[in-house]
Amino acid sequence: MVLALNPGDVIETLKRLRSEDPSYSSGEVLGSMTIEAPQYLVEAFNIFMNTNLNDPKLFKVTHQLEVECINWLSKLMHGGGYGLLTYGGSESNLTALYALREYTGGDVVISPKTAHISIRKSCKVLGLNLIEVDVDDRYIPKVNELCELIRKYEGRLASVVMTAGTTDLGVVEPVDRLVSECDDVKYAIHVDAAYGGLIAPFIAELDSDIPVFDFRLSNVYSITVDFHKLVVPVPCSALLFRNRELEELITFDAPYMPSGKNRSLLGTRSGGIAAAAWGAIKVLDTDGFRYLARDLVARAKYLSSKLVDIGVKVLNEPKLPIVTFEVDDRDEVMRYLWNLKLYVYPTSIRNALRIVVGPHITYEIIEKFVNTLRNLLVK
Ligand code: 0PR
C-alpha cells in the first residue's frame, strides 16, 4: 500500500499541532467547561470505541455498560433507571424536549432566560414555541412569573425547563419552589443539569440552600447530566427519564437492525462513551465524585475570596465551581488576559467574565491568575 504520509509522522505532527492550542495543565484553559480527561478514561474509551450502543444484540456487553451507568446515575437522581447515554448536553436536551413533546402533545416550552442556548436551538428544531421568563437581580428565576405563564398555557405545555448549574453563574434554579408553589396545574419539568448534575447533589448534602431538582419532585420528567464536563472525555452525557413510556418514545422501529429497534436520535453511538463513563464510576464511585465536587467548590470559593481581596466584584458567592466577576471594560480586560494565554470567557451578563474551576484549576493556577489580574487593575 502506498501511503501519502507515514502514520508515525502524522501522529508526531498532530502532537505538535495540539501543543499550539491552549493547555489545561499550565492553567491556560480558564473559562471553558471542557476538561482534560485522565488517561485511563481515554484508554477505556478506546477499548470500546469500535462497538455500537445502538446495536445491543451484536454488542451485548457494551449495552450492559450503558445500563450500569444509567442505573448508577439514576440512583443519584432518585430515578427508576430509565435513560440513555448521549454525545453531549445539547443532544440530551434535544432528546428530552422531543420525548416530552410527544408525551404531552404540547407545543409550548417555558423557561427562565438563563437556559443554555441548546434549549433555544432544540425548540427551533422541534417547532416548539419558547417563552422566556426573567430572573431577579440575583439571577434567580421569578417563580411567580413562571407559574403565571404555566397556568396561562396549561394544556399546551410540552415542558418547563429549569437549569441546575447555569452556564453563566452555576446557579441551581429553584425547581423545588416552583413545584411547591405551582401545584394546581399539570406540567412536566425537564431539568438541564448538564453542568450541575454530578456536583450539586454532593454540595446540597452540606448546604440546604441548594434546591432539590431531581425525580423526588413529581413534576420532574427528565434530567440531563454531562459526564464530560467533569471527568470523562468528550463526548459523554446522559439523559434520564422518569418512566419507561418516555424512554420508549425515543426508541424507533428499525427492521434492518438485529434488535429491530434504534434507540436515541443518533444512528451509530460509540460504545466508547459507555466504557469511559463506566470507568469513571468504577474508579471514583459516589464517594470519589463527592470528594471531587467538594474540592472544586472549595477552590472556587478560594478564587472568589481572592478576587474580592483585590477589589473585584464577584457576582453571587459561588455555590458550584463557577466564578463570575465584573470588570470595567470587559472586552479590553479579556483581550489583555488572552494575550497572556489566560483564556477567561465572557458571559451573557454585561461586563462579567467567567472562570469554570475544573479539575485542572489548581490553587497555584488561581494564585497566578489573581496576581496577573491585580497587576492589570492597579495600572
Ligand atoms: N446545558 C448547560 C447548562 C450548559 O452549560 C451546556 C454547555 C450545555 C447544556 C450543552 O452541553 P454540550 O456543550 O455538551 O452540548 N455549556 C458550555 C458553555 O456554554 C459549552 C462549552 C464548552 C462552551 C466548552 C465552550 C467551551 O470551550 O460554556
Side-chain angles (χ1 to χ4, degrees):
M1 188 166 52
V2 181
L3 298 173
L5 279 178
N6 178 314
D9 290 346
V10 168
I11 296 301
E12 282 315 306
T13 304
L14 285 171
K15 283 185 180 164
R16 182 176 53 72
L17 290 173
R18 173 61 188 92
S19 73
E20 291 172 20
D21 259 346
S23 143
Y24 287 89
S25 56
S26 52
E28 293 171 0
V29 183
L30 291 165
S32 166
M33 266 184 199
T34 46
I35 48 104
E36 185 161 58
Q39 204 48 42
Y40 76 91
L41 293 182
V42 176
E43 213 173 296
F45 186 98
N46 286 342
I47 296 169
F48 275 80
M49 180 170 58
N50 301 319
T51 64
N52 180 9
L53 285 168
N54 274 348
D55 199 347
K57 274 221 160 153
L58 186 63
F59 298 111
K60 290 193 184 69
V61 174
T62 312
H63 172 66
Q64 191 51 34
L65 293 179
E66 180 180 33
V67 170
E68 289 181 27
C69 292
I70 293 300
N71 284 340
W72 179 85
L73 191 61
S74 208
K75 204 168 150 205
L76 186 65
M77 295 290 148
H78 302 268
Y82 306 108
L84 77 164
L85 295 177
T86 72
Y87 278 13
S90 301
E91 187 201 334
S92 292
N93 286 341
L94 175 65
T95 311
L97 292 186
Y98 167 75
L100 288 169
R101 186 191 72 179
E102 299 299 294
Y103 189 76
T104 61
D107 69 330
V108 171
V109 170
I110 296 174
S111 98
K113 277 187 179 152
T114 40
H116 185 253
I117 178 80
S118 55
I119 297 299
R120 216 163 303 144
K121 278 200 271 183
S122 302
C123 288
K124 198 161 184 190
V125 170
L126 295 166
L128 292 164
N129 301 296
L130 177 63
I131 301 173
E132 292 183 315
V133 174
D134 234 331
V135 291
D136 67 17
D137 51 9
R138 294 185 55 243
Y139 308 96
I140 311 288
K142 295 180 176 166
V143 168
N144 55 339
E145 284 185 23
L146 273 170
C147 192
E148 248 170 60
L149 278 170
I150 291 171
R151 288 199 189 99
K152 180 172 169 193
Y153 287 98
E154 190 181 12
R156 274 187 66 188
L157 286 174
S159 176
V160 175
V161 176
M162 297 286 274
T163 307
T166 56
T167 309
D168 280 342
L169 284 155
V171 169
V172 180
E173 297 186 329
V175 191
D176 53 359
R177 198 148 54 79
L178 177 67
V179 170
S180 65
E181 288 180 23
C182 203
D183 62 350
D184 53 334
V185 211
K186 265 189 84 176
Y187 58 99
I189 301 176
H190 167 63
V191 178
D192 178 1
Y195 179 68
L198 286 170
I199 303 174
F202 305 117
I203 308 305
E205 290 167 346
L206 305 173
D207 180 350
S208 58
D209 278 353
I210 300 216
V212 171
F213 60 86
D214 56 38
F215 292 116
R216 280 173 290 178
L217 304 171
S218 58
N219 294 65
V220 172
Y221 277 69
S222 53
I223 307 177
T224 291
V225 181
D226 282 7
F227 282 97
H228 69 203
K229 288 184 170 47
L230 194 63
V231 64
V232 174
V234 174
C236 191
S237 169
L239 173 62
L240 301 178
F241 288 121
R242 167 168 286 283
N243 56 36
R244 189 181 303 282
E245 220 178 321
L246 276 165
E247 197 185 72
E248 275 166 9
L249 286 168
I250 52 110
T251 308
F252 301 86
D253 286 339
Y256 64 93
M257 292 298 285
S259 65
K261 305 260 180 243
N262 177 260
R263 221 158 74 98
S264 88
L265 299 182
L266 299 187
T268 309
R269 272 189 307 143
S270 171
I273 69 173
W278 191 88
I281 290 166
K282 290 294 156 191
V283 169
L284 293 173
D285 207 353
T286 309
D287 280 343
F289 276 100
R290 179 178 286 117
Y291 178 85
L292 180 58
R294 291 181 184 177
D295 187 27
L296 295 181
V297 171
R299 290 187 231 173
K301 285 187 190 290
Y302 179 75
L303 167 59
S304 167
S305 72
K306 285 278 164 186
L307 289 172
V308 171
D309 286 350
I310 63 164
V312 170
K313 183 178 176 203
V314 174
L315 302 176
N316 288 17
E317 163 73 2
K319 295 269 187 197
L320 299 194
I322 291 185
V323 181
T324 305
F325 55 96
E326 255 179 21
V327 281
D328 295 334
D329 304 320
R330 173 179 78 180
D331 295 346
E332 208 177 302
V333 171
M334 205 175 122
R335 212 170 309 122
Y336 174 88
L337 293 170
W338 276 56
N339 277 334
L340 296 171
K341 295 191 168 191
L342 295 170
Y343 301 109
V344 294
Y345 272 35
T347 68
S348 50
I349 302 163
R350 232 187 110 253
N351 274 344
L353 290 170
R354 176 186 88 174
I355 293 182
V356 180
V357 181
H360 60 286
I361 309 282
T362 59
Y363 285 98
E364 207 182 330
I365 286 170
I366 292 172
E367 296 286 351
K368 186 179 139 202
F369 173 77
V370 174
N371 285 336
T372 308
L373 187 64
R374 181 182 43 213
N375 291 340
L376 167 68
L377 296 178
V378 297
K379 260 186 202 162

